[in-house]
Amino acid sequence: MFHDRARIHVQAGRGGDGGLSFRREKHVPKGGPDGGDGGPGGDVVFVAAPDLRDLSAFRPNQRFKAERGGSGRGALKHGATGEDTELRVPVGTQVLDDSGQLLADLAHPGARVVVARGGAPGRGNKRFATPTRQAPRFAETGLPGEELSLDLRLKLLADAALVGFPNAGKSSLLRRISNAKPKVADYPFTTIAPVLGTVDSPEGRQLTVADVPGLIEGASEGVGLGHEFLAHLERARLLLHVVDVSEDVPQRFAAINRELEQYGAHLDELPQIVVLNKADLVPEQPVFDVDDDRVLRVYAVSCATGAGIDELKRGLFDLCPAAPPPVAEDGALVDFLVYRPRPRRERSYRIFRTDRGFRVEGTPPDEAELEAALRAAGARTGSEVEVGEETFELA
Ligand SMILES: Nc1nc2c(ncn2[C@@H]2O[C@H](COP(=O)(O)OP(=O)(O)OP(=O)(O)O)[C@@H](O)[C@H]2O)c(=O)[nH]1
Ligand SMILES: [Mg+2]
């Protein structure tokens, strides 16, 4: 199976709590505060890995957590930084939040994006010492890390993609022109998952070509297999439209184009090279006089004998539009095409650990959220909590 979708849950690490400690030395009965700061929580990061083919490494609704930051301790020891959790995804993976908003598009090998930021650490009690408060008996707690549900969608990145009816000879063509060895057989839907191949030119240039399952009439509405994979054509810059010349070529050519148009996403605007395949099956050299602006050139080939294949390969290198540069105008490497950082959560309130329990400062949220935040900060049933002038016990 080829998995081009996954839904997962990610949670960044909680920030470490600030230390609540006083210096203890021989002959120093009352040392000053020496609680160090907590460490920041780890982030959850996606990395585009060129060796991955699909998203099958993810189980449905799998949860991923990054490490929490270490707590600050006495002698001004700061807590350790929580380790990031790196999730490897295939190149071409798009990350969407649960409202369908595109957060990141990992369109280049090695692209990295932080999808959930670790929580800020709390400050140790040393930081709260002032001339009038020389022995602060409290320290700040760390903040929770960001947590979100994500939809991952793989949209293959290939320079060109093969389209055509089942059995037209798409996989045979990919075997002829590239290093890929997709299965070929004389029944429809032999190819059930996309395959990428690399085509080398004699000058040392390379192009990637995607072979996707064949399309039939109604594919864009879900007939056959093809519709599931049409998304993998979206990022191609050229289509290799393969037609079996022993069939009714104009009719078949038009039927595929109708499916591309009905699918949308501008697939019907992509330039095409028409490949009249199985030329060995007809007595005359096949021709197709087509009046269509998208068609850059028509080649007659035989994947069985190899006739016309070299010419087609040359045409592919000549006609495939150049890839957009991976570097933006300002010189920055474009790791992802779209990324809308979510605003950093403002702290409307802070929680401090005191030597008696916990203290809340600022504008606390509703009771349920405050309780959850207190428990996350280490409060338990019976813990003493000060909010403003009031002190209560956590129920
Ligand atoms: N005679 C002849 N047969 C061919 C040629 N190219 C492919 N075939 C045969 O046509 C059949 C289908 O070829 P495939 O390459 O599997 O076709 P496909 O378009 O990938 O088909 P699906 O994966 O099912 O969509 C196989 O039996 C091939 O051997 C050709 O040039 N001449
Ligand atoms: Mg095939």
Side-chain angles (χ1 to χ4, degrees):
M1 268 299 281
F2 177 84
H3 294 265
D4 53 8
R5 279 159 189 263
R7 165 163 269 246
I8 60 168
H9 196 79
V10 296
Q11 189 179 357
R14 186 182 169 77
D17 296 332
L20 174 51
S21 165
F22 293 92
R23 208 161 49 228
R24 265 172 231 274
E25 283 166 46
K26 268 185 207 163
H27 317 301
V28 185
K30 265 188 92 179
D34 71 351
D37 298 340
D43 298 331
V44 180
V45 183
F46 281 103
V47 182
D51 58 314
L52 289 180
R53 202 177 67 95
D54 71 358
L55 295 165
S56 56
F58 295 97
R59 281 180 278 108
N61 295 310
Q62 197 173 354
R63 301 178 76 85
F64 294 93
K65 283 187 179 180
E67 196 184 22
R68 62 174 294 166
S71 300
R73 281 171 298 131
L76 284 175
K77 288 204 182 88
H78 291 326
T81 299
E83 212 166 303
D84 294 345
T85 290
E86 271 194 10
L87 302 177
R88 283 157 39 84
V89 293
V91 178
T93 298
Q94 297 187 331
V95 183
L96 296 90
D97 68 12
D98 52 8
S99 68
Q101 166 107 287
L102 186 60
L103 299 180
D105 187 350
L106 291 111
H108 299 284
R112 278 176 72 86
V113 60
V114 174
V115 286
R117 280 179 294 230
R123 290 167 292 173
N125 67 334
K126 164 75 179 171
R127 301 261 194 184
F128 298 102
T130 61
T132 55
R133 186 174 61 195
Q134 292 183 9
R137 304 195 148 277
F138 59 88
E140 195 178 10
T141 62
L143 285 186
E146 288 181 323
E147 196 179 342
L148 60 168
S149 293
L150 297 173
D151 279 312
L152 307 185
R153 247 180 247 166
L154 172 60
K155 287 188 181 175
L156 290 179
L157 282 152
D159 299 299
L162 291 155
V163 290
F165 273 85
N167 265 337
K170 301 179 294 300
S171 301
S172 304
L173 182 59
L174 193 66
R175 288 178 80 99
R176 276 279 180 190
I177 64 174
S178 81
N179 62 340
K181 292 284 167 263
K183 188 174 165 188
V184 166
D186 61 355
Y187 54 84
F189 300 116
T190 307
T191 302
I192 55 170
V195 177
L196 285 181
T198 305
V199 186
D200 289 292
S201 79
E203 299 79 36
R205 282 173 65 203
Q206 282 194 328
L207 286 176
T208 50
V209 175
D211 180 19
V212 295
L215 297 174
I216 51 176
E217 296 190 75
S220 57
E221 283 130 47
V223 182
L225 286 176
H227 72 287
E228 289 195 33
F229 299 102
L230 282 169
H232 297 295
L233 304 181
E234 285 178 26
R235 314 226 241 186
R237 299 190 305 281
L238 174 81
L239 298 178
L240 282 167
H241 189 156
V242 184
V243 193
D244 179 341
V245 284
S246 63
E247 311 262 2
D248 180 344
V249 172
Q251 182 268 328
R252 298 238 131 183
F253 174 75
I256 294 293
N257 287 333
R258 266 198 306 279
E259 295 309 318
L260 297 178
E261 187 186 329
Q262 272 157 27
Y263 175 78
H266 306 287
L267 292 189
D268 60 328
E269 292 166 20
L270 287 172
Q272 299 187 4
I273 290 179
V274 175
V275 183
L276 304 173
N277 186 33
K278 310 197 187 182
D280 57 291
L281 294 183
V282 292
E284 314 252 303
Q285 174 74 356
V287 283
F288 178 36
D289 279 324
V290 59
D291 181 21
D292 188 320
D293 288 345
R294 287 170 294 186
V295 176
L296 305 177
R297 217 168 285 171
V298 180
Y299 289 92
V301 305
S302 167
C303 292
T305 67
I309 297 291
D310 285 344
E311 291 86 332
L312 167 61
K313 246 174 100 166
R314 265 200 297 283
L316 176 62
F317 280 97
D318 287 348
L319 299 172
C320 189
V327 175
E329 277 169 20
D330 62 3
L333 186 70
V334 183
D335 269 356
F336 30 84
L337 304 176
V338 185
Y339 180 45
R340 295 189 186 88
R342 281 145 293 122
R344 208 170 253 290
R345 230 180 302 169
E346 281 300 317
R347 286 186 193 227
S348 70
Y349 64 102
R350 293 167 187 276
I351 297 177
F352 296 91
R353 201 156 49 87
T354 69
D355 52 356
R356 289 190 307 279
F358 293 86
R359 195 172 78 237
V360 181
E361 285 181 9
T363 320
D366 66 55
E367 232 172 89
E369 199 184 311
L370 177 60
E371 186 183 329
L374 282 164
R375 287 192 188 277
R380 297 286 168 263
T381 301
S383 293
E384 204 171 283
V385 180
E386 282 173 67
V387 183
E389 303 285 277
E390 284 174 47
T391 301
F392 64 92
E393 272 188 12
L394 203 61

